[in-house]
Amino acid sequence: MERVLKDDAVEEKGERARMASFVGAMAIADLVKTTLGPKGMDKILQSTGRGRNVTVTNDGATILKSLHIDNPAAKVLVDISKVQDDEVGDGTTTVVVLAGELLRESEKLVNMKIHPMTIIAGFRMAVECARNALLQRTMDNKENTDKFRADLMNIAMTTLSSKILSQDKEYFAELAVDAVLRLKGSTNLEAIQILKKPGGSLKDSFLDEGFILDKKIGIGQPKRIENAKILVANTAMDTDKVKIYGARVRVDSMSKVADIEAAEKQKMREKVQKIIAHGINCFVNRQLIYNFPEELFADAGILAIEHADFEGIERLALVTGGDIASTFDNPESVKLGHCKVIEEIMIGEDRLIHFSGVAMGQACTIVLRGASEHVLDEAERSLHDALCVLSQTVNDTRVLFGGGWPEMVMAKEVDELARKTPGKKSHAIDAFSRALQAIPTTIADNAGLDSAELISQLRAEHHKENCTAGIDVITGGLGDMEKLGIQESFKVKQAILLSATEAAEMILRVDEIITCAPRRREDRM
């Protein structure tokens, strides 16, 4: 029989294909498994590129994003963790571990000669059941502001407790909650700027109402401006040179060169005058400002800031309520930004420009201090996770307890469903409940506790009515999640449940893997 596929193409069929997908997915799940929970460990990722960058992190999405993976099924898991990170910010590790466990259970079922479609049908039923179980047990305090704030604090502390910030989690939870409540319900985290400044300890971090631009104030310019009118621009302010590349200007005497220079200067002066005509006292430019225009601005008493990085300038425009302008011919159509005070402040040894009393009152800057760049990067990731979760929770105010409690609640309901369901599906539903219990098991294992003992105790507890027990890794036993204040956002849990199941389903459906032949390079000799 002739080969249908090209020579180098590889195809795996049936059992082998399924085995390859299961093994790949489970390997990925085991890789991030140890980072789960408050006692999870960190991973060091070293890139092989230039500079050999080192990242120390325990954020599931960051770890998986940095891996180069060949196995197609493993890529699916990397994708769900990325989506989880973009969508709700937290639960990136959990989602992968859960999907991995679902596949581990399905492998056993497939070996028992149960058809993948039957397993998928069972999983579908189980997911519905688990989700309803959670929905019945959610709490919602959006009417009571104080209680809701306490909920947010608890959620932030729970999110941060598995990260590097866990030592000062009350402090950072407070920062995150303040920042998110200022957004007044929008999930746009653009308005919260996170500035990282090495030096000091993590405890020295603070929340600053207003906006900080990481630039210095030019020479001979006012150091402090009140009731500032700001023009944010992206324009070239270095045209006292001939800008056309390869331009040749032939002159017959030196005095002509001087004329050209004078004309260039005149052009610049006119541009500066147009800008000044907007009636501003602060000019922020994305590009360079040469010393000639800078001098002109200083004479006019205008603060000119050059080279503001793009994120900074976009955010500045957003925060002060101005537009980014690039032409200055009609001043009436340009929206200027406003703020009460612009001044220079010192953080550590760096001078920064501080805009306070900005138009968009929702904006704020969190300044992170820490021992080294790596610590700061990880702190920023942790804080970003917390901010994401909080901003989602402000919109969808339902909360649950944490610490393995939601998984046990779901597992119990799913178990009961399995007993009522006739046929082979019941095996799949049963497997789903075992996979859910793997999350608290992993949390306990990572804390070095006896997981088998704890999970069985927990299961017994959960058969009582309205139980709030979960794993308390600090004391190493069961704890009352309500008293400990360990809470999670319902939206995060729901996203975890649905994404993990869909990913597992997708991998289960595979029965053939075809790897295409690489394109041959023609010898161009």
Side-chain angles (χ1 to χ4, degrees), residues 173-227:
E174 189 79 44
L175 281 189
V177 173
D178 283 345
V180 168
L181 287 178
R182 290 177 66 101
L183 292 176
K184 304 187 181 57
S186 92
T187 50
N188 181 12
L189 295 178
E190 294 280 305
I192 301 177
Q193 181 195 18
I194 300 182
L195 256 190
K196 300 177 291 192
K197 285 282 163 213
S201 70
L202 284 169
K203 262 282 173 60
D204 299 337
S205 310
F206 60 91
L207 177 86
D208 197 297
E209 313 193 345
F211 185 85
I212 297 179
L213 195 62
D214 196 350
K215 290 286 158 230
K216 296 185 179 59
I217 291 182
I219 300 163
Q221 291 170 351
K223 291 272 186 248
R224 177 189 167 94
I225 292 183
E226 295 187 7
N227 295 333

Short mmCIF file of all heavy atoms in Angstrom, two decimals, residues 173-227:
data_model
loop_
_atom_site.label_atom_id
_atom_site.label_comp_id
_atom_site.label_asym_id
_atom_site.label_seq_id
_atom_site.Cartn_x
_atom_site.Cartn_y
_atom_site.Cartn_z
N ALA A 173 -3.13 43.16 50.65
CA ALA A 173 -4.56 43.01 50.37
C ALA A 173 -5.23 44.37 50.51
O ALA A 173 -6.05 44.77 49.68
CB ALA A 173 -5.17 42.00 51.33
N GLU A 174 -4.83 45.10 51.54
CA GLU A 174 -5.37 46.44 51.78
C GLU A 174 -5.08 47.35 50.57
O GLU A 174 -5.96 48.03 50.06
CB GLU A 174 -4.70 46.99 53.05
CG GLU A 174 -5.28 48.28 53.57
CD GLU A 174 -6.57 48.08 54.35
OE1 GLU A 174 -6.64 47.15 55.19
OE2 GLU A 174 -7.49 48.87 54.12
N LEU A 175 -3.83 47.30 50.09
CA LEU A 175 -3.44 48.10 48.92
C LEU A 175 -4.32 47.75 47.72
O LEU A 175 -4.85 48.62 47.04
CB LEU A 175 -2.00 47.79 48.51
CG LEU A 175 -0.83 48.40 49.26
CD1 LEU A 175 0.46 48.11 48.52
CD2 LEU A 175 -1.00 49.88 49.38
N ALA A 176 -4.45 46.43 47.48
CA ALA A 176 -5.17 45.98 46.28
C ALA A 176 -6.64 46.37 46.36
O ALA A 176 -7.23 46.85 45.39
CB ALA A 176 -5.02 44.48 46.12
N VAL A 177 -7.24 46.19 47.55
CA VAL A 177 -8.67 46.50 47.70
C VAL A 177 -8.90 48.00 47.52
O VAL A 177 -9.83 48.41 46.82
CB VAL A 177 -9.19 46.02 49.07
CG1 VAL A 177 -10.60 46.49 49.30
CG2 VAL A 177 -9.13 44.50 49.14
N ASP A 178 -8.02 48.80 48.10
CA ASP A 178 -8.18 50.25 47.93
C ASP A 178 -8.10 50.63 46.46
O ASP A 178 -8.91 51.41 45.96
CB ASP A 178 -7.08 51.00 48.69
CG ASP A 178 -7.37 51.04 50.18
OD1 ASP A 178 -8.53 50.74 50.53
OD2 ASP A 178 -6.48 51.35 50.98
N ALA A 179 -7.12 50.05 45.78
CA ALA A 179 -6.93 50.40 44.37
C ALA A 179 -8.15 50.01 43.54
O ALA A 179 -8.61 50.76 42.69
CB ALA A 179 -5.68 49.72 43.83
N VAL A 180 -8.69 48.81 43.81
CA VAL A 180 -9.80 48.33 42.98
C VAL A 180 -11.09 49.08 43.31
O VAL A 180 -11.87 49.40 42.41
CB VAL A 180 -9.99 46.81 43.18
CG1 VAL A 180 -11.28 46.34 42.57
CG2 VAL A 180 -8.83 46.08 42.54
N LEU A 181 -11.29 49.41 44.58
CA LEU A 181 -12.53 50.13 44.92
C LEU A 181 -12.52 51.53 44.31
O LEU A 181 -13.57 52.10 44.05
CB LEU A 181 -12.70 50.21 46.44
CG LEU A 181 -13.10 48.88 47.08
CD1 LEU A 181 -13.21 49.02 48.59
CD2 LEU A 181 -14.42 48.38 46.53
N ARG A 182 -11.34 52.07 44.06
CA ARG A 182 -11.28 53.39 43.41
C ARG A 182 -11.76 53.31 41.97
O ARG A 182 -12.17 54.31 41.39
CB ARG A 182 -9.85 53.90 43.40
CG ARG A 182 -9.33 54.28 44.76
CD ARG A 182 -7.90 54.70 44.62
NE ARG A 182 -7.81 55.92 43.83
CZ ARG A 182 -7.63 57.11 44.35
NH1 ARG A 182 -7.53 57.24 45.64
NH2 ARG A 182 -7.55 58.18 43.58
N LEU A 183 -11.65 52.12 41.37
CA LEU A 183 -12.07 51.97 39.97
C LEU A 183 -13.59 52.06 39.83
O LEU A 183 -14.11 52.16 38.73
CB LEU A 183 -11.62 50.63 39.41
CG LEU A 183 -10.13 50.42 39.21
CD1 LEU A 183 -9.85 49.02 38.74
CD2 LEU A 183 -9.59 51.41 38.19
N LYS A 184 -14.30 51.94 40.95
CA LYS A 184 -15.76 52.03 40.97
C LYS A 184 -16.40 51.09 39.95
O LYS A 184 -17.21 51.49 39.12
CB LYS A 184 -16.22 53.47 40.68
CG LYS A 184 -15.61 54.46 41.66
CD LYS A 184 -16.19 55.84 41.48
CE LYS A 184 -15.56 56.82 42.44
NZ LYS A 184 -14.08 56.90 42.33
N GLY A 185 -15.95 49.83 40.00
CA GLY A 185 -16.67 48.82 39.22
C GLY A 185 -16.20 48.60 37.81
O GLY A 185 -16.71 47.74 37.12
N SER A 186 -15.21 49.38 37.33
CA SER A 186 -14.74 49.06 35.98
C SER A 186 -13.63 48.03 36.10
O SER A 186 -12.90 48.00 37.09
CB SER A 186 -14.21 50.31 35.29
OG SER A 186 -12.84 50.45 35.50
N THR A 187 -13.52 47.14 35.10
CA THR A 187 -12.48 46.11 35.21
C THR A 187 -11.25 46.55 34.44
O THR A 187 -10.40 45.74 34.13
CB THR A 187 -12.96 44.78 34.63
OG1 THR A 187 -13.51 45.05 33.34
CG2 THR A 187 -13.98 44.12 35.49
N ASN A 188 -11.17 47.83 34.11
CA ASN A 188 -10.03 48.31 33.35
C ASN A 188 -8.86 48.58 34.29
O ASN A 188 -8.84 49.59 34.98
CB ASN A 188 -10.43 49.58 32.61
CG ASN A 188 -9.28 50.10 31.79
OD1 ASN A 188 -8.30 49.40 31.61
ND2 ASN A 188 -9.41 51.31 31.29
N LEU A 189 -7.90 47.67 34.31
CA LEU A 189 -6.79 47.81 35.26
C LEU A 189 -5.72 48.77 34.73
O LEU A 189 -4.69 48.95 35.35
CB LEU A 189 -6.16 46.45 35.55
CG LEU A 189 -7.09 45.47 36.25
CD1 LEU A 189 -6.41 44.14 36.46
CD2 LEU A 189 -7.55 46.01 37.60
N GLU A 190 -5.97 49.37 33.55
CA GLU A 190 -5.01 50.32 32.98
C GLU A 190 -4.78 51.48 33.94
O GLU A 190 -3.71 52.06 33.98
CB GLU A 190 -5.57 50.92 31.68
CG GLU A 190 -5.72 49.94 30.56
CD GLU A 190 -4.40 49.69 29.86
OE1 GLU A 190 -3.78 50.66 29.42
OE2 GLU A 190 -4.00 48.52 29.79
N ALA A 191 -5.84 51.84 34.67
CA ALA A 191 -5.75 53.04 35.49
C ALA A 191 -4.92 52.80 36.74
O ALA A 191 -4.57 53.73 37.44
CB ALA A 191 -7.15 53.50 35.89
N ILE A 192 -4.62 51.52 37.03
CA ILE A 192 -3.76 51.25 38.18
C ILE A 192 -2.37 51.01 37.65
O ILE A 192 -2.15 50.07 36.90
CB ILE A 192 -4.22 50.00 38.94
CG1 ILE A 192 -5.65 50.20 39.43
CG2 ILE A 192 -3.31 49.72 40.11
CD1 ILE A 192 -6.21 49.00 40.12
N GLN A 193 -1.44 51.89 38.02
CA GLN A 193 -0.10 51.72 37.50
C GLN A 193 0.75 51.06 38.57
O GLN A 193 0.67 51.43 39.73
CB GLN A 193 0.45 53.09 37.16
CG GLN A 193 1.83 53.04 36.58
CD GLN A 193 2.48 54.39 36.60
OE1 GLN A 193 2.04 55.27 37.33
NE2 GLN A 193 3.53 54.56 35.84
N ILE A 194 1.54 50.07 38.18
CA ILE A 194 2.42 49.44 39.17
C ILE A 194 3.85 49.83 38.82
O ILE A 194 4.33 49.53 37.74
CB ILE A 194 2.25 47.91 39.16
CG1 ILE A 194 0.82 47.54 39.50
CG2 ILE A 194 3.19 47.27 40.16
CD1 ILE A 194 0.56 46.06 39.56
N LEU A 195 4.49 50.55 39.74
CA LEU A 195 5.87 50.99 39.52
C LEU A 195 6.79 50.14 40.38
O LEU A 195 6.53 49.98 41.57
CB LEU A 195 6.02 52.43 39.98
CG LEU A 195 6.07 53.54 38.95
CD1 LEU A 195 6.47 54.82 39.65
CD2 LEU A 195 7.05 53.24 37.84
N LYS A 196 7.85 49.62 39.79
CA LYS A 196 8.77 48.80 40.58
C LYS A 196 10.06 49.56 40.81
O LYS A 196 10.69 50.01 39.87
CB LYS A 196 9.06 47.49 39.84
CG LYS A 196 7.81 46.69 39.59
CD LYS A 196 8.09 45.44 38.80
CE LYS A 196 8.47 45.77 37.38
NZ LYS A 196 8.47 44.59 36.51
N LYS A 197 10.43 49.71 42.08
CA LYS A 197 11.68 50.40 42.40
C LYS A 197 12.49 49.53 43.34
O LYS A 197 12.08 49.31 44.48
CB LYS A 197 11.38 51.74 43.10
CG LYS A 197 10.88 52.80 42.14
CD LYS A 197 12.01 53.36 41.35
CE LYS A 197 11.52 54.11 40.13
NZ LYS A 197 12.44 53.99 39.02
N PRO A 198 13.64 49.01 42.88
CA PRO A 198 14.45 48.17 43.76
C PRO A 198 14.94 48.97 44.96
O PRO A 198 15.17 50.17 44.85
CB PRO A 198 15.64 47.77 42.88
CG PRO A 198 15.24 48.07 41.49
CD PRO A 198 14.21 49.15 41.54
N GLY A 199 15.09 48.28 46.08
CA GLY A 199 15.55 48.95 47.30
C GLY A 199 14.46 48.88 48.34
O GLY A 199 13.30 48.69 48.01
N GLY A 200 14.84 49.01 49.60
CA GLY A 200 13.82 48.91 50.65
C GLY A 200 13.32 47.49 50.77
O GLY A 200 13.86 46.57 50.17
N SER A 201 12.26 47.29 51.54
CA SER A 201 11.70 45.95 51.65
C SER A 201 10.29 46.00 51.09
O SER A 201 9.76 47.06 50.83
CB SER A 201 11.65 45.54 53.11
OG SER A 201 10.66 46.31 53.76
N LEU A 202 9.67 44.82 50.93
CA LEU A 202 8.32 44.78 50.38
C LEU A 202 7.35 45.61 51.21
O LEU A 202 6.38 46.16 50.70
CB LEU A 202 7.83 43.34 50.30
CG LEU A 202 8.42 42.50 49.16
CD1 LEU A 202 8.07 41.05 49.35
CD2 LEU A 202 7.92 42.98 47.83
N LYS A 203 7.65 45.70 52.52
CA LYS A 203 6.77 46.45 53.42
C LYS A 203 6.74 47.95 53.07
O LYS A 203 5.84 48.66 53.46
CB LYS A 203 7.24 46.30 54.87
CG LYS A 203 6.48 45.23 55.65
CD LYS A 203 5.12 45.78 56.08
CE LYS A 203 4.21 44.76 56.73
NZ LYS A 203 4.73 44.14 57.93
N ASP A 204 7.77 48.43 52.37
CA ASP A 204 7.83 49.87 52.06
C ASP A 204 6.95 50.25 50.88
O ASP A 204 6.90 51.41 50.50
CB ASP A 204 9.27 50.30 51.75
CG ASP A 204 10.19 50.07 52.92
OD1 ASP A 204 9.66 50.01 54.04
OD2 ASP A 204 11.41 49.94 52.74
N SER A 205 6.31 49.26 50.26
CA SER A 205 5.45 49.58 49.11
C SER A 205 4.27 50.41 49.58
O SER A 205 3.85 50.30 50.72
CB SER A 205 4.92 48.29 48.50
OG SER A 205 5.98 47.42 48.28
N PHE A 206 3.76 51.26 48.70
CA PHE A 206 2.61 52.07 49.10
C PHE A 206 1.72 52.37 47.91
O PHE A 206 2.12 52.21 46.75
CB PHE A 206 3.06 53.37 49.78
CG PHE A 206 3.91 54.25 48.88
CD1 PHE A 206 3.32 55.22 48.09
CD2 PHE A 206 5.28 54.07 48.83
CE1 PHE A 206 4.10 56.01 47.27
CE2 PHE A 206 6.06 54.88 48.01
CZ PHE A 206 5.47 55.84 47.22
N LEU A 207 0.50 52.80 48.21
CA LEU A 207 -0.45 53.17 47.17
C LEU A 207 -0.48 54.69 47.11
O LEU A 207 -0.61 55.35 48.12
CB LEU A 207 -1.84 52.66 47.55
CG LEU A 207 -2.95 53.04 46.59
CD1 LEU A 207 -3.02 52.03 45.47
CD2 LEU A 207 -4.28 53.06 47.29
N ASP A 208 -0.33 55.23 45.91
CA ASP A 208 -0.31 56.68 45.79
C ASP A 208 -1.49 57.11 44.95
O ASP A 208 -1.70 56.60 43.86
CB ASP A 208 0.99 57.10 45.12
CG ASP A 208 1.25 58.56 45.35
OD1 ASP A 208 0.42 59.36 44.88
OD2 ASP A 208 2.23 58.90 46.01
N GLU A 209 -2.28 58.03 45.49
CA GLU A 209 -3.44 58.47 44.72
C GLU A 209 -2.93 59.46 43.71
O GLU A 209 -2.34 60.47 44.06
CB GLU A 209 -4.45 59.12 45.66
CG GLU A 209 -4.64 58.26 46.88
CD GLU A 209 -5.83 58.68 47.69
OE1 GLU A 209 -6.33 59.79 47.47
OE2 GLU A 209 -6.25 57.88 48.54
N GLY A 210 -3.14 59.19 42.46
CA GLY A 210 -2.58 60.06 41.45
C GLY A 210 -1.70 59.25 40.53
O GLY A 210 -1.80 58.04 40.47
N PHE A 211 -0.82 59.93 39.84
CA PHE A 211 -0.08 59.26 38.80
C PHE A 211 1.39 59.62 38.93
O PHE A 211 1.73 60.76 39.18
CB PHE A 211 -0.62 59.73 37.44
CG PHE A 211 0.00 59.02 36.30
CD1 PHE A 211 -0.51 57.80 35.90
CD2 PHE A 211 1.09 59.53 35.64
CE1 PHE A 211 0.06 57.12 34.86
CE2 PHE A 211 1.66 58.86 34.60
CZ PHE A 211 1.14 57.64 34.20
N ILE A 212 2.25 58.63 38.79
CA ILE A 212 3.68 58.90 38.89
C ILE A 212 4.32 58.56 37.56
O ILE A 212 4.11 57.47 37.04
CB ILE A 212 4.31 58.08 40.02
CG1 ILE A 212 3.71 58.46 41.35
CG2 ILE A 212 5.81 58.29 40.05
CD1 ILE A 212 4.24 57.69 42.51
N LEU A 213 5.07 59.50 37.01
CA LEU A 213 5.74 59.25 35.74
C LEU A 213 7.22 59.10 36.04
O LEU A 213 7.81 59.91 36.75
CB LEU A 213 5.50 60.44 34.80
CG LEU A 213 5.81 60.21 33.34
CD1 LEU A 213 4.91 59.11 32.80
CD2 LEU A 213 5.57 61.47 32.55
N ASP A 214 7.81 58.03 35.50
CA ASP A 214 9.19 57.72 35.86
C ASP A 214 10.15 58.56 35.03
O ASP A 214 10.88 58.04 34.20
CB ASP A 214 9.41 56.23 35.59
CG ASP A 214 10.65 55.73 36.28
OD1 ASP A 214 11.40 56.59 36.78
OD2 ASP A 214 10.88 54.52 36.33
N LYS A 215 10.13 59.86 35.21
CA LYS A 215 11.00 60.75 34.44
C LYS A 215 11.53 61.83 35.37
O LYS A 215 10.99 62.05 36.44
CB LYS A 215 10.17 61.44 33.33
CG LYS A 215 9.74 60.52 32.23
CD LYS A 215 10.90 60.17 31.33
CE LYS A 215 10.62 58.87 30.60
NZ LYS A 215 11.65 57.91 30.65
N LYS A 216 12.56 62.54 34.89
CA LYS A 216 13.07 63.66 35.68
C LYS A 216 12.59 64.96 35.03
O LYS A 216 12.31 65.00 33.84
CB LYS A 216 14.59 63.66 35.69
CG LYS A 216 15.18 62.44 36.36
CD LYS A 216 16.70 62.57 36.43
CE LYS A 216 17.32 61.36 37.12
NZ LYS A 216 17.03 60.10 36.46
N ILE A 217 12.51 66.02 35.83
CA ILE A 217 12.12 67.32 35.29
C ILE A 217 13.35 67.98 34.66
O ILE A 217 14.45 67.89 35.20
CB ILE A 217 11.54 68.21 36.41
CG1 ILE A 217 10.19 67.62 36.84
CG2 ILE A 217 11.37 69.64 35.95
CD1 ILE A 217 9.47 68.40 37.88
N GLY A 218 13.14 68.60 33.50
CA GLY A 218 14.27 69.20 32.76
C GLY A 218 14.94 70.32 33.53
O GLY A 218 14.46 70.79 34.56
N ILE A 219 16.07 70.77 33.00
CA ILE A 219 16.87 71.78 33.70
C ILE A 219 16.24 73.16 33.52
O ILE A 219 15.75 73.49 32.44
CB ILE A 219 18.28 71.79 33.12
CG1 ILE A 219 18.89 70.40 33.32
CG2 ILE A 219 19.15 72.85 33.79
CD1 ILE A 219 20.08 70.13 32.47
N GLY A 220 16.26 73.95 34.57
CA GLY A 220 15.80 75.33 34.47
C GLY A 220 14.30 75.44 34.32
O GLY A 220 13.78 76.46 33.90
N GLN A 221 13.57 74.35 34.64
CA GLN A 221 12.12 74.42 34.50
C GLN A 221 11.48 74.38 35.88
O GLN A 221 12.08 73.90 36.83
CB GLN A 221 11.64 73.25 33.65
CG GLN A 221 12.08 73.43 32.22
CD GLN A 221 11.83 72.19 31.41
OE1 GLN A 221 11.47 71.17 31.95
NE2 GLN A 221 12.02 72.29 30.12
N PRO A 222 10.26 74.88 35.96
CA PRO A 222 9.60 74.93 37.28
C PRO A 222 9.51 73.53 37.87
O PRO A 222 9.19 72.58 37.17
CB PRO A 222 8.21 75.49 36.96
CG PRO A 222 8.05 75.42 35.48
CD PRO A 222 9.41 75.46 34.90
N LYS A 223 9.79 73.41 39.17
CA LYS A 223 9.78 72.10 39.81
C LYS A 223 8.39 71.74 40.33
O LYS A 223 8.15 70.62 40.73
CB LYS A 223 10.76 72.10 41.00
CG LYS A 223 12.21 72.19 40.57
CD LYS A 223 12.78 70.80 40.30
CE LYS A 223 14.27 70.86 40.01
NZ LYS A 223 14.59 70.50 38.63
N ARG A 224 7.53 72.74 40.38
CA ARG A 224 6.20 72.43 40.92
C ARG A 224 5.18 73.31 40.21
O ARG A 224 5.39 74.50 40.04
CB ARG A 224 6.19 72.74 42.42
CG ARG A 224 4.85 72.52 43.08
CD ARG A 224 4.88 73.04 44.50
NE ARG A 224 3.52 73.11 45.02
CZ ARG A 224 2.97 72.14 45.73
NH1 ARG A 224 3.65 71.07 46.02
NH2 ARG A 224 1.73 72.26 46.16
N ILE A 225 4.10 72.72 39.75
CA ILE A 225 3.08 73.50 39.05
C ILE A 225 1.74 73.18 39.68
O ILE A 225 1.43 72.01 39.93
CB ILE A 225 3.05 73.08 37.56
CG1 ILE A 225 4.34 73.52 36.88
CG2 ILE A 225 1.86 73.70 36.86
CD1 ILE A 225 4.36 73.21 35.41
N GLU A 226 0.95 74.21 39.95
CA GLU A 226 -0.39 73.95 40.48
C GLU A 226 -1.41 74.22 39.39
O GLU A 226 -1.18 75.02 38.49
CB GLU A 226 -0.63 74.81 41.71
CG GLU A 226 0.31 74.40 42.83
CD GLU A 226 0.01 75.11 44.13
OE1 GLU A 226 -1.00 75.82 44.18
OE2 GLU A 226 0.80 74.96 45.07
N ASN A 227 -2.57 73.53 39.49
CA ASN A 227 -3.63 73.63 38.48
C ASN A 227 -3.06 73.49 37.07
O ASN A 227 -3.19 74.37 36.23
CB ASN A 227 -4.37 74.97 38.58
CG ASN A 227 -5.11 75.04 39.90
OD1 ASN A 227 -5.46 73.99 40.45
ND2 ASN A 227 -5.32 76.23 40.41
#
